[in-house]
Amino acid sequence: MLLKIINQIVFLFMTVFGTLGNISVSVNYMFSWWGGPEKKPIHLILIHLAFTNIIILLAKGLPKTMVVFGLRNFLDDIGCKILIYLSRVARGVSICTSGLLTVVQAIIISPRASGWRRLRPKSAWHILLFFSFFWILNGLLGINLIHSATSTSLNISELKNGDDYCYFMLESQKIKWIVLPLMVLRDAVFQGAMGAASGYMVLLLHKHHQHVLYLQNSKLLYRTPPELRAAQSVLLLMLCFVFFYWADCAFSLFLSLFLAKIPLIGNIQEILTLGYATFSPVVLIHREGLLPECWHAQWEKLRKSLSNFSIK
């Protein structure tokens, strides 16, 4: 009974808190995008990352929350296929977008004399081509789920483990060994790029720190550029991603090694799957003060509009 109450609190909190956090982040960066003097590619990537996180939480977290509160058979076969497919595709897009975010941020803070500077996006709209590629790639990788996912309301004997609201029918070994290596390759490529870009940013931030120490010893004033502060936020975001991703992989491997499903371990694995989508907005809000900045900007706009109206 206690475990059931804890599950209800945790999944409800993660779904609601994560969705509201991602909406706050996306709205703030949308205001910066449309109202700011410069359209930064990083802002567009963060809006897209928040959007994919919202899809993950609504397609994965919301049904799981309904299950722990006792609802059963609330999805038909088509609804089950749509939610499972969306959650898998959005999770893959989130991995790809996180890798792109790290690489673009590393290019932005690279020295002007560096060859990496030439790869800097000339326009933020060029990033949209990457987004299209991510959705097409992960849409193709997850298309097998449309066939294998089915609702628990159906009485089918060829069922495998599922999410208490959807189950997976046994796939052919041929399809399994085509899709699985491609997913592993996708994760390896984007996490490899993420690791290389993160290491490069750590090196640049270390050089910057040494430079700051020199200026402080020389009693000269120095203010950290916003690009470097953004790089620190991205590095924290990537640490959050790496923790939840590999912890999720470890628990998934543990569950796959045992034929009997262990409810506690299964719930922990579900929480880890939602962890990055839930807590990544917290990193951005805390590091960059997004909410106070957004409220201040909107208050200034409202104040100016009211003053202009009173003058008229």
Side-chain angles (χ1 to χ4, degrees):
M1 189 65 183
L2 178 62
L3 184 61
K4 181 180 178 181
I5 295 173
I6 293 174
N7 284 337
Q8 291 173 347
I9 294 173
V10 170
F11 281 106
L12 180 63
F13 169 78
M14 293 186 73
T15 303
V16 175
F17 179 77
T19 303
L20 293 177
N22 282 288
I23 290 174
S24 300
V25 168
S26 60
V27 167
N28 176 82
Y29 282 119
M30 282 179 185
F31 280 125
S32 301
W33 172 261
W34 294 112
E38 182 183 0
K39 299 186 185 302
K40 298 180 180 180
I42 289 294
H43 289 176
L44 193 60
I45 297 174
L46 289 170
I47 292 171
H48 185 255
L49 181 61
F51 174 70
T52 57
N53 287 340
I54 291 171
I55 294 178
I56 292 171
L57 290 167
L58 293 181
K60 182 80 173 178
L62 183 59
K64 185 64 181 181
T65 304
M66 296 171 69
V67 167
V68 297
F69 274 92
L71 293 176
R72 293 288 188 277
N73 302 328
F74 54 89
L75 287 175
D76 59 6
D77 192 44
I78 296 178
C80 176
K81 292 179 185 295
I82 291 174
L83 285 186
I84 292 293
Y85 180 73
L86 275 179
S87 63
R88 173 70 66 83
V89 172
R91 187 170 185 268
V93 173
S94 177
I95 294 172
C96 298
T97 306
S98 299
L100 177 66
L101 174 66
T102 316
V103 172
V104 171
Q105 186 63 64
I107 293 172
I108 288 174
I109 68 171
S110 60
R112 294 183 183 277
S114 173
W116 294 107
R117 197 76 172 186
R118 300 173 186 174
L119 298 176
R120 183 170 182 171
K122 298 295 187 294
S123 170
W125 296 109
H126 293 166
I127 301 295
L128 294 177
L129 296 176
F130 288 98
F131 295 163
S132 301
F133 171 71
F134 295 161
W135 283 101
I136 293 172
L137 171 66
N138 290 283
L140 293 175
L141 288 178
I143 203 166
N144 63 304
L145 294 175
I146 296 177
H147 170 71
S148 60
T150 185
S151 173
T152 56
S153 60
L154 299 178
N155 186 17
I156 298 177
S157 58
E158 296 180 345
L159 292 177
K160 199 181 175 183
N161 58 327
D163 293 306
D164 299 324
Y165 55 93
C166 290
Y167 277 83
F168 301 104
M169 292 188 295
L170 294 174
E171 294 179 318
S172 67
Q173 292 296 316
K174 185 177 179 180
I175 295 177
K176 180 180 178 181
W177 289 109
I178 290 175
V179 175
L180 186 60
L182 290 175
M183 291 178 63
V184 172
L185 179 62
R186 176 203 63 192
D187 291 2
V189 168
F190 283 97
Q191 290 195 55
M194 189 187 305
S198 298
Y200 180 62
M201 282 195 290
V202 169
L203 179 62
L204 292 179
L205 290 174
H206 176 70
K207 291 181 178 180
H208 170 260
H209 180 67
Q210 296 295 325
H211 183 58
V212 170
L213 290 178
Y214 169 76
L215 293 177
Q216 287 178 348
N217 292 332
S218 303
K219 297 183 180 180
L220 296 174
L221 294 177
Y222 182 79
R223 179 174 293 181
T224 303
E227 291 82 4
L228 292 180
R229 292 200 302 271
Q232 293 171 351
S233 300
V234 170
L235 283 175
L236 282 177
L237 203 61
M238 292 310 102
L239 286 175
C240 178
F241 169 82
V242 168
F243 169 77
F244 283 111
Y245 177 87
W246 286 107
D248 180 19
C249 288
F251 276 89
S252 298
L253 180 62
F254 179 83
L255 285 173
S256 65
L257 294 177
F258 293 91
L259 295 177
K261 187 175 180 181
I262 305 172
L264 178 60
I265 303 297
N267 287 329
I268 294 175
Q269 189 265 333
E270 295 277 1
I271 291 170
L272 292 171
T273 302
L274 300 174
Y276 179 61
T278 301
F279 296 107
S280 58
V282 179
V283 176
L284 294 171
I285 292 172
H286 174 69
R287 284 290 302 175
E288 301 191 13
L290 295 183
L291 293 183
E293 179 183 332
C294 181
W295 291 340
H296 177 72
Q298 296 309 308
W299 170 252
E300 287 297 323
K301 288 182 181 179
L302 179 61
R303 188 176 61 83
K304 286 181 182 179
S305 61
L306 290 175
S307 62
N308 292 334
F309 178 77
S310 61
I311 292 173
K312 291 180 181 179

